[in-house]
Amino acid sequence: MNYPQRIVCLTEETTETLYAIGAEDRIVGISGFTVRPERARKEKPKVSAFTSAKIGRILELKPDLVVGFSDMQADIAAELVRSGVAVHIFNQRTVAGILSMIRTLGGMLGLAEQTDPYAQALSDRVERIRAERKRPDRPRVYFEEWGDPMITGIGWVSELIGIAGGEDIFPERAVEPGARERIIENPEDVITRKPDIIIGSWCGRKFRPETVAERPGWADVPAVANNHLYEIKSPLILQPGPAALTDGLDALCEIIDQTNT
């Protein structure tokens, strides 16, 4: 069977996965937002943003598979499909979904022998951390994905907060796949839920804890009163791939440990 040999990755998580299993030679193009692994930016042509792509450049690379993520890339996918390119759009929103994405990608490329053990190792690591950090005194965490409007964390982020030993204050929002449904219209909703920790990851922008602390009425929020406002860089936690399950989860654990000391 002939498996794809020339792959364009429209988002970072598939690029990171292929590098992790030693299959980077199959990648012929990547997203311009890719930062993991660092060497990918030096080695591979950058052919897309997130919601836009250089279609002509992608076609010049003659890919036999383009992989992307979510409905936000539907227009890119449609244009490539109309040009005769094979496209697969993943839509993982949970920890289990991330692991499934890795295994599915491996199967599509005939690399299951590499990706299945890799996914299993990630899964085992997550479960070990979950077991080690079970605790009755779980700090309440408000995770902010964007500041204006205020958007709370997506599904896998909420799960990872729980695995790290915290409690997401907006679990009902986290199940919503779209950012629109996770907008916090009324800042009072955060105040009333009294988070012990505030974590910002403003998707490409530097988190400004001082701006958050100055929001009207937030001075008495426990996280603000005790100065427990932290940043996790978005490539570590907002990419639904290996980064979130490794460095992203570790960052959450470190923050929660700092708060408990």
Side-chain angles (χ1 to χ4, degrees):
M1 183 173 180
N2 295 324
Y3 292 101
Q5 300 295 320
R6 298 183 59 80
I7 303 161
V8 169
C9 300
L10 298 177
T11 51
E12 180 181 87
E13 61 274 2
T14 46
T15 297
E16 184 173 12
T17 297
L18 292 178
Y19 267 85
I21 64 169
E24 65 271 19
D25 58 311
R26 297 203 195 184
I27 301 173
V28 296
I30 63 171
S31 163
F33 290 127
T34 300
V35 296
R36 293 172 64 98
E38 186 176 346
R39 55 184 276 232
R41 292 187 63 82
K42 302 172 185 175
E43 297 174 348
K44 306 296 181 179
K46 293 177 278 293
V47 297
S48 69
F50 185 51
T51 58
S52 63
K54 301 172 184 175
I55 301 297
R57 180 69 178 115
I58 292 174
L59 296 177
E60 287 173 3
L61 293 169
K62 300 188 183 327
D64 46 18
L65 178 65
V66 174
V67 288
F69 169 71
S70 86
D71 60 305
M72 298 289 287
Q73 295 193 321
D75 291 344
I76 301 172
E79 191 166 352
L80 289 169
V81 169
R82 283 193 289 267
S83 298
V85 179
V87 179
H88 184 93
I89 300 296
F90 290 100
N91 206 21
Q92 68 275 18
R93 308 288 176 142
T94 63
V95 170
I98 292 171
L99 296 169
S100 177
M101 176 276 293
I102 293 170
R103 291 187 171 102
T104 301
L105 179 64
M108 293 168 64
L109 303 182
L111 298 172
E113 287 188 4
Q114 293 93 321
T115 51
D116 285 357
Y118 178 58
Q120 189 60 52
L122 289 172
S123 178
D124 291 347
R125 181 182 193 275
V126 167
E127 293 310 313
R128 174 179 55 78
I129 292 172
R130 188 200 305 272
E132 290 173 351
R133 300 181 67 83
K134 282 186 177 178
R135 61 183 73 193
D137 55 330
R138 301 170 72 82
R140 295 170 59 76
V141 179
Y142 168 53
F143 187 97
E144 190 168 276
E145 196 174 297
W146 193 248
D148 184 21
M150 292 164 48
I151 301 176
T152 192
I154 198 166
W156 69 84
V157 173
S158 180
E159 281 187 75
L160 291 172
I161 288 169
I163 292 164
E167 180 183 346
D168 178 19
I169 66 168
F170 288 110
E172 75 282 4
R173 301 286 186 117
V175 300
E176 300 289 348
R180 187 182 302 277
E181 292 77 25
R182 291 181 283 110
I183 292 174
I184 308 299
E185 302 280 2
N186 186 355
E188 287 280 341
D189 290 346
V190 176
I191 297 171
T192 58
R193 299 194 187 204
K194 300 179 179 178
D196 303 296
I197 301 170
I198 294 173
I199 300 173
S201 188
W202 284 356
C203 203
R205 276 180 56 194
K206 182 173 175 54
F207 177 61
R208 299 289 183 184
E210 67 279 5
T211 301
V212 173
E214 290 169 358
R215 289 172 181 166
W218 284 41
D220 294 328
V221 170
V224 175
N226 296 313
N227 196 31
H228 289 317
L229 296 92
Y230 305 92
E231 179 181 29
I232 298 178
K233 297 295 186 183
S234 55
L236 298 187
I237 195 72
L238 295 183
Q239 295 281 7
L245 305 187
T246 54
D247 292 351
L249 177 54
D250 289 350
L252 287 169
C253 291
E254 183 178 345
I255 287 169
I256 289 171
D257 287 345
Q258 286 178 359
T259 307
N260 285 336
T261 56

